[in-house]
Amino acid sequence: MLVNTTRGFLWSDVETRTLLNIWGEQDIQAALDGNFRNSFVYRDVSRRLGAMGFERTPEQCRVRIKSLKRQYLLAKEGNLRNNGQYHKICKFYDVMERILSNRPALDAQELMMESGAGAEEAGDGLEEDGEDAQDVESTGECPYPAETEVKLEYPTVPIPVPLKVTVGNNSTTSRPQNSSQSAGNLPARTPKRPRKRRSNFPMEKLMEQFLEQSAQAEESFYRVEEQRLQVEDRRRETEHARELHMLQMLAQMFAGISSARPGSAAKAADPRARAPVFASASPSHTRGRASPKKDSLSADALVFERYNSLGSSSHRAMDEEVFSLVKSVVPPLTSKKHKGQDGRIGIIGGCQDYTGAPYFAAISALKVGADLSHVFCTKDAATVIKSYSPELIVHPVLDSPNAVEEIEKWLPRLHSLVVGPGLGREDSLLKTTKEVIERSKARDIPIVIDADGLWLVTQQPSVIQGYQKGILTPNFMEFTRLFEALHHEPLNSSDHSRSVMQLSGAMGNLTLVLKGEQDLISDGSKVYSCSVEGSGRRCGGQGDLLSGSMGVLAHWAHSAAAAGAIRSMNPSVVAAFGACSLTRQCNSQAFQRHGRSTTTSDMIQEIGPAFRKLFET
């Protein structure tokens, strides 16, 4: 599993919400109630946070929770006094209110006691002073004002105590007795540890200091970010200038060679000059054979042609490497297998208006090599989908009141899930789909999300964020919506590869496939380009063929990775590359047969021959 190593000093919103969800679980809250030695609890919180893809130490988790509790208390007190004026102090007020509403009232005395408990656990490295310093550094937020510790020291001089001695019947005399002597007769008492006392500042002054320091921190952050962007721009300009300088030097070198040996410059630059290999240089050189006029090409054109030919050869080597991995995950066909062993795929989608998309995805999964395809659709779409093919198992439960329970019964039998083909955008269906995704994640099932499933992810990215067995397959419009929803800025359409890597990283390094002229695949660490030749025909349903075949290959790839067959690459990337290559090959073969009249049904008929050509020869 790829881990998102967030070792910086800032907590992102996604990371903070993940921490609050873990901290708010019933067993964690039960362990924290009434127990001030809680280092083992925060070690458990850190372990669970690491399992979700965020690396934080127990100390960082405890400091962040303490900071959020302080902000919540401050906001809650301001909310009670001034009718919600200070609600903006705590960004996660609603989440904290939901968690802490089931616990006793949170007040400043509890925070002081928690701070004292943290100081007692010196063996675990949880010290109060270090915690407060790290709280400001790690969150970038302002906690309570500086605390003033008051220590009371008493003199050690013995105090004389008068004793009454009776003389005779009525008279008494007093003699002083040293307190150190009388203290020997008293039982030894454990000295109390001095407590920290907080100055009682008025709420208005606390709020004024908090807002002032928050504004200063925000201004400092933007200043540093602007400096970073300027440095990045200068670095890019320097690299660009260096590349231009190298190209100029190469041009001068080839110009000198061509002047020394006239008529042979093209052959010296590239031994393939007799063949039509100038496709990378310019469109005017894509047809015909070499002629004497090509000997007069400028040295710059020769340099660029050479550079592009080297780049294309490296891409071909990378494609061959990934193709070999895809071939290695394809299970062999033997007589010893039983039904369902090579894949049981579930399709979540299909409503009254869209019945073709789930059929295309399910039948494509069967054509690729899955043994069974289940379609979970609405009641009014089930009969139509079933009439398309008797090979499909159709469940009309998606719009039923207990849809989640009905689908969950089948999850233990499924190897992968394809979410979105023909799903529609009704709130009730999207709510059911979200719950099904959550329960599938709990069972570690590979999930492919396409079409209307991506609409759900755009509205609620956390539903799949950070899940390493998840694959998203957006087209350009879906990709743009998702990118702008996560980055809150327009998409830079000039550099798709960088945008794909950025979005994959923002989604927790899950695998992302941007469909287009060349399918771009990334898991946040590297971008792969699937350039298998397709055609100019773009008919509806091609994306459903892609998602259905990708569901099967995802099951095969992750099974091979569990057996140790794949170690050098993310299994989801291998599955995505194989499915993209297969879909493009089907499109090419169908277009050769049918031309402009090619449909998705024609492409599905080519799945078998295309699969054999790519992965079995």
Side-chain angles (χ1 to χ4, degrees):
M1 177 180 293
L2 298 178
V3 180
N4 182 15
T5 56
T6 55
R7 299 185 180 274
F9 61 92
L10 294 176
W11 286 71
S12 65
D13 292 350
V14 174
E15 192 175 2
T16 302
R17 289 188 183 279
T18 306
L19 174 65
L20 288 176
N21 290 336
I22 296 173
W23 181 70
E25 293 178 1
Q26 185 176 2
D27 56 340
I28 296 295
Q29 291 297 312
L32 288 174
D33 284 340
N35 190 356
F36 297 126
R37 296 186 177 274
N38 50 26
S39 61
F40 69 98
V41 181
Y42 285 101
R43 281 194 291 269
D44 188 25
V45 172
S46 174
R47 178 184 61 79
R48 299 186 188 183
L49 193 62
M52 299 295 293
F54 302 100
E55 288 293 332
R56 289 288 182 176
T57 63
E59 173 66 2
Q60 290 175 333
C61 296
R62 193 180 73 86
V63 167
R64 182 58 172 161
I65 290 296
K66 180 183 174 184
S67 174
L68 293 172
K69 288 167 70 175
R70 286 178 173 174
Q71 295 175 31
Y72 166 79
L73 176 63
L74 192 62
K76 188 175 183 66
E77 185 173 358
N79 191 18
L80 294 175
R81 290 185 179 181
N82 297 310
N83 298 324
Q85 181 179 357
Y86 300 116
H87 187 277
K88 295 183 180 180
I89 297 175
C90 184
K91 187 174 183 180
F92 306 95
Y93 183 91
D94 296 332
V95 181
M96 296 291 293
E97 179 69 14
R98 175 176 55 81
I99 296 174
L100 297 177
S101 61
N102 298 326
R103 297 185 59 188
L106 182 69
D107 54 8
Q109 183 67 23
E110 180 181 350
L111 291 176
M112 289 179 59
M113 294 174 66
E114 184 181 28
S115 301
E120 288 179 2
E121 296 180 346
D124 294 329
L126 306 177
E127 298 179 2
E128 180 68 18
D129 296 337
E131 175 191 44
D132 290 338
Q134 186 177 0
D135 194 3
V136 177
E137 179 181 356
S138 63
T139 64
E141 300 167 348
C142 176
Y144 273 146
E147 301 173 356
T148 304
E149 181 178 0
V150 181
K151 296 183 179 180
L152 302 179
E153 298 181 357
Y154 299 93
T156 58
V157 180
I159 301 176
V161 179
L163 297 177
K164 293 183 180 181
V165 180
T166 303
V167 180
N169 295 330
N170 298 324
S171 63
T172 61
T173 60
S174 299
R175 288 189 303 173
Q177 181 177 0
N178 197 325
S179 62
S180 61
Q181 297 176 1
S182 62
N185 299 328
L186 298 176
R189 299 180 62 185
T190 304
K192 293 184 177 180
R193 199 176 58 179
R195 293 184 177 179
K196 291 186 178 182
R197 298 183 180 178
R198 303 180 185 273
S199 301
N200 294 324
F201 291 98
M203 177 59 66
E204 291 77 9
K205 188 174 181 179
L206 289 175
M207 285 302 307
E208 182 180 356
Q209 293 180 1
F210 175 80
L211 295 176
E212 181 180 358
Q213 295 183 12
S214 298
Q216 293 176 357
E218 184 176 1
E219 182 180 359
S220 176
F221 170 76
Y222 285 122
R223 190 184 308 113
V224 172
E225 185 68 14
E226 183 178 1
Q227 294 175 358
R228 186 188 68 80
L229 293 176
Q230 292 176 356
V231 171
E232 184 70 16
D233 291 339
R234 287 195 295 268
R235 183 187 65 81
R236 291 179 182 175
E237 292 176 356
T238 303
E239 290 182 355
H240 183 63
R242 186 184 300 112
E243 291 177 356
L244 289 178
H245 180 65
M246 293 178 62
L247 290 174
Q248 291 174 0
M249 292 179 60
L250 289 173
Q252 293 175 2
M253 180 181 67
F254 282 109
I257 295 175
S258 61
S259 62
R261 300 178 60 184
S264 60
K267 294 181 181 180
D270 192 343
R272 300 174 299 164
R274 297 182 180 178
V277 296
F278 290 90
S280 300
S282 65
S284 61
H285 301 140
T286 58
R287 297 181 180 86
R289 297 184 177 273
S291 63
K293 293 182 179 180
K294 290 186 178 179
D295 293 339
S296 62
L297 287 174
S298 64
D300 290 5
L302 293 173
V303 171
F304 281 110
E305 193 277 334
R306 182 77 170 182
Y307 176 79
N308 289 329
S309 65
L310 292 175
S312 61
S313 63
S314 63
H315 281 297
R316 284 195 299 270
M318 183 184 301
D319 290 353
E320 292 175 359
E321 179 185 357
V322 183
F323 266 120
S324 63
L325 290 175
V326 177
K327 292 179 181 179
S328 67
V329 305
V330 176
L333 296 175
T334 64
S335 58
K336 297 181 180 179
K337 289 186 176 180
H338 55 80
K339 181 179 65 176
Q341 189 171 350
D342 281 345
R344 297 183 292 271
I345 312 303
I347 311 295
I348 305 296
C351 59
Q352 183 178 7
D353 296 330
Y354 306 104
T355 57
Y359 162 73
F360 285 143
I363 200 66
S364 298
L366 291 177
K367 291 283 188 178
V368 169
D371 293 336
L372 298 171
S373 282
H374 296 258
V375 179
F376 299 91
C377 61
T378 61
K379 185 176 181 179
D380 49 7
T383 304
V384 180
I385 296 174
K386 187 67 176 178
S387 66
Y388 292 152
S389 174
E391 286 90 2
L392 306 183
I393 304 173
V394 183
H395 306 269
V397 298
L398 194 56
D399 56 349
S400 63
N402 57 341
V404 177
E405 290 74 17
E406 290 291 333
I407 299 175
E408 187 180 20
K409 293 189 302 185
W410 289 92
L411 290 181
R413 310 182 191 182
L414 300 180
H415 292 129
S416 66
L417 206 64
V418 179
V419 179
L423 179 62
R425 297 181 181 179
E426 293 184 12
D427 292 339
S428 59
L429 298 181
L430 294 178
K431 182 178 179 181
T432 299
T433 302
K434 177 185 175 182
E435 189 64 26
V436 171
I437 292 175
E438 294 290 348
R439 303 196 181 188
S440 300
K441 287 163 53 180
R443 293 183 176 275
D444 205 31
I445 298 175
I447 303 174
V448 179
I449 300 182
D450 184 36
D452 292 328
L454 294 172
W455 176 265
L456 172 63
V457 175
T458 302
Q459 305 302 317
Q460 304 180 51
S462 60
V463 70
I464 196 65
Q465 197 166 31
Y467 186 58
Q468 297 304 305
K469 289 188 178 182
I471 305 176
L472 305 184
T473 61
N475 57 29
F476 183 77
M477 293 302 299
E478 294 165 340
F479 179 86
T480 303
R481 283 198 299 263
L482 187 57
F483 184 94
E484 293 176 355
L486 267 72
H487 290 84
H488 305 289
E489 62 181 15
L491 172 67
N492 181 12
S493 58
S494 61
D495 190 356
H496 288 172
S497 297
R498 182 180 180 187
S499 300
V500 169
M501 184 175 293
Q502 288 178 344
L503 183 56
S504 176
M507 289 298 296
N509 291 340
L510 57 76
T511 302
L512 189 73
V513 180
L514 174 57
K515 298 178 289 190
E517 182 178 1
Q518 287 188 349
D519 298 335
L520 299 179
I521 307 165
S522 177
D523 59 353
S525 61
K526 191 174 182 180
V527 177
Y528 300 85
S529 175
C530 179
S531 55
V532 175
E533 183 179 0
S535 75
R537 175 65 171 152
R538 294 291 183 271
C539 53
Q542 292 184 173
D544 305 315
L545 189 157
L546 173 66
S547 60
S549 59
M550 195 176 297
V552 181
L553 288 170
H555 161 55
W556 290 350
H558 284 284
S559 298
I566 300 179
R567 297 180 181 178
S568 60
M569 188 175 295
N570 186 348
S572 295
V573 173
V574 175
F577 191 94
C580 291
S581 302
L582 179 62
T583 303
R584 298 172 74 90
Q585 183 66 30
C586 291
N587 182 272
S588 175
Q589 293 181 189
F591 186 80
Q592 291 175 8
R593 291 176 178 269
H594 304 280
R596 189 178 294 273
S597 64
T598 301
T599 62
T600 302
S601 298
D602 300 326
M603 292 175 55
I604 290 175
Q605 298 303 318
E606 298 294 331
I607 290 179
F611 191 94
R612 287 193 297 271
K613 181 177 180 180
L614 291 176
F615 308 127
E616 293 181 343
T617 57

